[in-house]
Amino acid sequence: MLWHKEVKIPEKTDLVILPGGFSYGDYLRCGAIAAKSPIMSAVNDFYLKGGFILGICNGFQVLTETNILPGALITNRNQKFICKEEEIIVQNSNTVFTSLYENNQNLSYPIAHHDGQYFIDKNGLSELIDEERIAFKYKNNPNGSIDNIAGILSQNKRVLGLMPHPERAVDKDIGSTSGIKLFKSLLKSIR
Amino acid sequence: MTEESKVFTFKVEIMLRSEVLDPQGETINQSLKNNDLNNVLNVRQGKLFELQINCSNLEEAKKQVESICKDMLANPVIEEYKIFEA
């Protein structure tokens, strides 16, 4: 576990995960202040060296605010905090994050966010589509995201940012288990 | 001879780009309409910041505010900013 005030990522780190939460109370814009915290320079260097990064929820917002991922997350269309299980459809199973899923497979991941509406301009969206960088889409688009986007990849496909929570879909006693394969895919591919 | 430093005050207005949906503005607009203010055509909500900068001259101070806007206060993907000398 690395604290936001730290400045180095340990050598031989396989994967950096930016978890969810409400860093700095989402003041200014969600993820904006965290994007300026000391550890993020190290995360950016890790990205530039080709490191694997997973950003979930607020972690995804922080990755867009640091320009590691394109676009931005803005307030949900209905202005409400949404907390429920949502159907997610796999768009690209040819990545280290999704290799144990199949294309068009339906998953159930919980979402828990107020600012989850993904926005990107037209050119940016075409780029994401052409380069197969949309990893997941919502079936019922709960937050108004452009093109139903729930998660996107960096150009080198080594960074995934998504608003839904795969880590909260790993135990049948508390709901869905369809997040397990995301972490198993990572273990299989990275190690 | 060194220039004496002064305090300059700026206001920065930040608005969502016109192509970005503004749910808060829409909600306010709807509420105005519900109160029979039907001639209100549109409402957009933004942010206003006041910055005090200690600097030797106005030009330098302006440049600094410009860079603060680009680097932090506004996200160019979704927002536009305007700087006013207060």
Side-chain angles (χ1 to χ4, degrees):
Chain A
M1 184 93 84
L2 294 174
W3 192 233
H4 64 105
K5 286 182 178 165
E6 293 185 49
V7 294
K8 267 176 94 174
I9 292 171
E11 294 276 317
K12 295 181 182 168
T13 296
D14 293 316
L15 169 74
V16 169
I17 301 180
L18 284 78
F22 285 84
S23 55
Y24 299 90
D26 274 357
Y27 290 174
L28 188 62
R29 293 176 305 278
C30 54
I33 311 280
K36 302 287 176 204
S37 62
I39 192 66
M40 287 313 294
S41 305
V43 172
N44 197 48
D45 291 343
F46 184 76
Y47 159 66
L48 293 173
K49 283 186 210 148
F52 294 102
I53 304 174
L54 170 62
I56 300 166
C57 198
N58 197 226
F60 180 19
Q61 295 163 342
V62 174
L63 289 175
T64 62
E65 280 286 341
T66 46
N67 292 320
I68 291 176
L69 290 174
L73 281 312
I74 56 177
T75 308
N76 294 342
R77 178 170 288 219
N78 68 0
Q79 282 275 54
K80 289 185 177 129
F81 183 91
I82 311 171
C83 183
K84 59 175 186 155
E85 284 210 5
E86 205 48 61
E87 277 192 70
I88 310 292
I89 306 164
V90 179
Q91 303 296 305
N92 184 349
S93 61
N94 188 24
T95 79
V96 293
F97 304 94
T98 54
S99 62
L100 294 178
Y101 295 126
E102 280 162 29
N103 279 347
N104 303 315
Q105 187 177 345
N106 268 38
L107 311 174
S108 179
Y109 285 180
I111 59 167
H113 58 242
H114 185 266
D115 293 359
Q117 180 184 172
Y118 184 69
F119 176 84
I120 191 164
D121 64 17
K122 277 184 185 165
N123 291 343
L125 180 62
S126 325
E127 248 178 62
L128 289 182
I129 294 169
D130 293 346
E131 295 171 1
E132 299 182 324
R133 288 166 60 190
I134 300 171
F136 300 105
K137 284 190 182 186
Y138 299 106
K139 189 176 177 196
N140 302 311
N141 203 355
N143 51 30
S145 290
I146 198 160
D147 207 28
N148 304 334
I149 287 174
I152 57 161
L153 298 150
S154 60
Q155 206 160 25
N156 65 8
K157 311 254 188 353
R158 286 167 173 246
V159 183
L160 169 68
L162 75 171
M163 288 310 297
H165 287 271
E167 84 286 9
R168 296 185 198 170
V170 292
D171 186 336
K172 64 176 168 29
D173 289 343
I174 54 167
S176 158
T177 54
S178 56
I180 294 174
K181 280 189 175 173
L182 185 139
F183 297 98
K184 287 196 168 162
S185 298
L186 279 168
L187 282 174
K188 190 184 127 205
S189 314
I190 294 180
R191 280 275 161 96
Chain B
M1 207 172 77
T2 54
E3 278 182 276
E4 214 177 308
S5 74
K6 294 179 203 141
V7 176
F8 297 96
T9 303
F10 297 88
K11 288 197 172 168
V12 174
E13 171 201 284
I14 300 201
M15 297 297 292
L16 283 170
R17 289 181 179 278
S18 58
E19 66 269 30
V20 179
L21 183 81
D22 172 19
Q24 297 189 89
E26 276 187 14
T27 305
I28 295 162
N29 192 11
Q30 194 51 53
S31 174
L32 292 171
K33 287 196 168 62
N34 294 345
N35 286 283
D36 296 327
L37 294 165
N38 291 309
N39 62 330
V40 178
L41 299 180
N42 195 19
V43 179
R44 302 281 289 171
Q45 181 174 319
K47 298 175 193 165
L48 185 68
F49 298 84
E50 193 179 279
L51 281 82
Q52 292 188 318
I53 308 281
N54 192 2
C55 198
S56 60
N57 66 73
L58 179 63
E59 281 313 302
E60 278 305 310
K62 261 193 209 168
K63 264 190 210 164
Q64 203 182 344
V65 174
E66 183 87 32
S67 105
I68 290 169
C69 285
K70 278 188 190 151
D71 194 43
M72 184 160 200
L73 293 185
N75 178 347
V77 177
I78 48 170
E79 295 168 325
E80 283 167 342
Y81 62 86
K82 279 186 193 157
I83 299 168
F84 303 92
E85 289 164 40

